[in-house]
Amino acid sequence: MNRTTLHKTPDIAVWELTLECNLNCLHCGSSAGKKRPDELSTREAIKLCHDLSDIGFKGVALMGGEVFLRHDWQTISKEIKDLGMVLSVITNGFFNAQEIVPKLKRLETDCVMVGLDGSSAKSQDKIRGVKGSFEKAIAFIRATKQAEITTSFITTVHALNFNELSKIRDLAIHEEVNWQIQEATPIGRFPKKLLLSEEEYYALGLFIRSTQKNYATKNLTIIGTHNFGFHSNVIPNLSSYPKWNGCYAGKTVLGIQSNGNIKGCLALSDEFIEGNIRNKSIIDIWNDPEAFAYNRRFEIKDLGENCKGCKFGETCKGGCTTRSSSITGSPHNDPYCFYRFEKDKAL
């Protein structure tokens, strides 16, 4: 059944399938480890898949915690594929690849993304909190490549691995996998003291652009996540989105916690929970005219001190909601902005 939706641009739902995890990553925004006591049942998860399809979501990205620690991950994944949605799986790869990868292949998984935050066992294992995480991740990546599944590294950048980026790039090129680069924000376990400085953040933008220009090919995609920027006179759009038109949370993107809590973006703190699917269906939450008001009902007066008076304010809408709220305490006030940096430094 096709349902009419209030917002006609649903794109991807990012679903924390379980909070249970076998690693202890310092940048984990959800402080994963133990599973939630009230995680969705298989039956509830299957209904949620159908509701997401009815709304019109094009794809679902499964993550954790760690996806493969949930006993019914294959059942849920199959339902996503059977409903015609794109299936992406985000994993730490700390598993026997020979056991997991054939299952992903049979499911016709569209994309597998493996966290790689260090260029060596020493750095990766320190960041991920468990010895052997580097070797396991590399083995998993090689197995998915061999199975002809589209494969990506995901690197979360912060003060501890900023200087390793060129070596991680060499690994991505050597392994012939796509590379997604994102920046750590101070939520969950990640300490604010390890945030990139504004200068490092701008340098990261230059690095991503240089890497795209010199290394990206038709078969090797290199992107920054959607919250990189914004409006630089030097650095073009870095993400897979055509242009930045404000935070996508609750407009094209949806975040689902393992107990059915709904957010506009899974990276947002729990103060942004819009409801729970046990009390109100995801269709009704999505179509609620009062939901996701921070983005859907944005007005220029909502801009914070960092963004007031900016000529891009109306379209940029104050940048990334997660970064803005976690650093400054409010949305529409993102302190990390290429345009403002260039303006202040007269670049």
Side-chain angles (χ1 to χ4, degrees):
M1 176 172 58
N2 228 349
R3 308 224 184 175
T4 302
T5 60
L6 176 69
H7 290 267
K8 300 181 184 298
T9 55
D11 185 13
I12 187 166
V14 183
W15 186 349
E16 173 199 271
L17 210 55
T18 179
L19 195 61
E20 185 177 4
C21 194
N22 48 2
L23 298 186
N24 188 36
C25 305
L26 70 83
H27 57 265
C28 181
S30 54
S31 301
K34 292 183 179 179
K35 66 184 292 187
R36 300 180 196 273
D38 57 346
E39 295 190 339
L40 297 176
S41 67
T42 303
R43 183 176 181 179
E44 289 172 319
I46 294 300
K47 182 182 185 304
L48 178 55
C49 291
H50 283 260
D51 286 349
L52 291 171
S53 177
D54 281 353
I55 291 171
F57 277 93
K58 300 177 182 68
V60 179
L62 300 180
M63 61 177 295
E66 173 50 54
V67 171
F68 303 134
L69 292 178
R70 179 159 169 141
H71 70 93
D72 56 358
W73 71 267
Q74 293 178 80
T75 302
I76 297 168
S77 298
K78 184 177 185 303
E79 200 71 27
I80 291 167
K81 288 294 295 185
D82 287 349
L83 288 165
M85 293 182 285
V86 173
L87 172 65
S88 303
V89 175
I90 303 167
T91 176
N92 57 41
F94 199 78
F95 292 88
N96 180 351
Q98 303 311 313
E99 177 185 345
I100 298 291
V101 172
K103 296 174 182 177
L104 291 169
K105 180 69 173 178
R106 284 195 294 273
L107 285 164
E108 297 183 349
T109 304
D110 295 282
C111 178
V112 173
M113 293 167 274
V114 182
L116 195 81
D117 304 300
S119 61
S120 67
K122 181 180 179 180
S123 57
Q124 168 87 347
D125 293 356
K126 179 180 179 179
I127 292 168
R128 291 270 164 172
V130 175
K131 188 175 181 180
S133 64
F134 180 79
E135 283 84 359
K136 287 275 191 179
I138 294 296
F140 201 93
I141 286 162
R142 289 174 178 169
T144 55
K145 278 285 294 180
Q146 188 173 8
E148 298 182 330
I149 301 171
T150 299
T151 308
S152 298
F153 286 169
I154 295 184
T155 301
T156 304
V157 185
H158 44 71
L160 293 186
N161 62 359
F162 177 73
N163 291 325
E164 289 194 59
L165 286 171
S166 60
K167 292 182 179 179
I168 299 173
R169 177 180 62 195
D170 292 344
L171 265 175
I173 293 167
H174 179 265
E175 298 296 335
E176 298 182 314
V177 295
N178 300 321
W179 191 20
Q180 177 175 309
I181 304 166
Q182 58 193 34
E183 171 218 9
T185 50
I187 55 175
R189 275 198 292 267
F190 185 71
K192 200 168 185 177
K193 65 181 181 180
L194 293 180
L195 272 174
L196 297 178
S197 68
E198 192 174 56
E199 289 78 9
E200 288 171 330
Y201 177 75
Y202 189 78
L204 177 57
L206 292 171
F207 173 85
I208 296 171
R209 176 52 184 160
S210 172
T211 300
Q212 288 177 335
K213 185 176 180 180
N214 294 311
Y215 298 97
T217 65
K218 183 179 179 181
N219 298 316
L220 183 62
T221 303
I222 300 163
I223 64 167
T225 49
H226 59 267
N227 62 343
F228 265 105
F230 314 89
H231 301 291
S232 169
N233 293 315
V234 179
I235 305 168
N237 181 43
L238 298 172
S239 77
S240 56
Y241 285 85
K243 64 178 181 178
W244 176 260
N245 191 31
C247 176
Y248 301 100
K251 295 192 296 184
T252 63
V253 176
L254 188 71
I256 306 164
Q257 291 184 309
S258 59
N259 61 356
N261 284 339
I262 301 300
K263 304 176 184 178
C265 171
L266 196 54
L268 289 167
S269 65
D270 285 354
E271 67 182 289
F272 288 90
I273 292 172
E274 302 287 339
N276 187 284
I277 65 167
R278 288 176 172 140
N279 304 318
K280 187 177 182 180
S281 78
I282 185 60
I283 294 173
D284 290 337
I285 292 174
W286 182 260
N287 287 333
D288 187 340
E290 302 300 319
F292 315 104
Y294 54 92
N295 273 343
R296 291 183 178 180
R297 301 175 69 182
F298 168 81
E299 297 179 20
I300 197 75
K301 65 180 178 60
D302 297 330
L303 292 174
E305 289 301 317
N306 288 319
C307 304
K308 280 182 179 177
C310 177
K311 67 179 183 178
F312 296 112
E314 190 170 353
T315 54
C316 181
K317 301 178 177 63
C320 170
T321 303
T322 296
R323 187 166 53 219
S324 178
S325 60
S326 64
I327 296 176
T328 73
S330 63
H332 315 298
N333 194 35
D334 193 342
Y336 283 58
C337 169
F338 290 166
Y339 171 70
R340 186 169 56 249
F341 182 84
E342 292 169 356
K343 184 179 177 182
D344 291 346
K345 302 297 181 183
L347 297 179

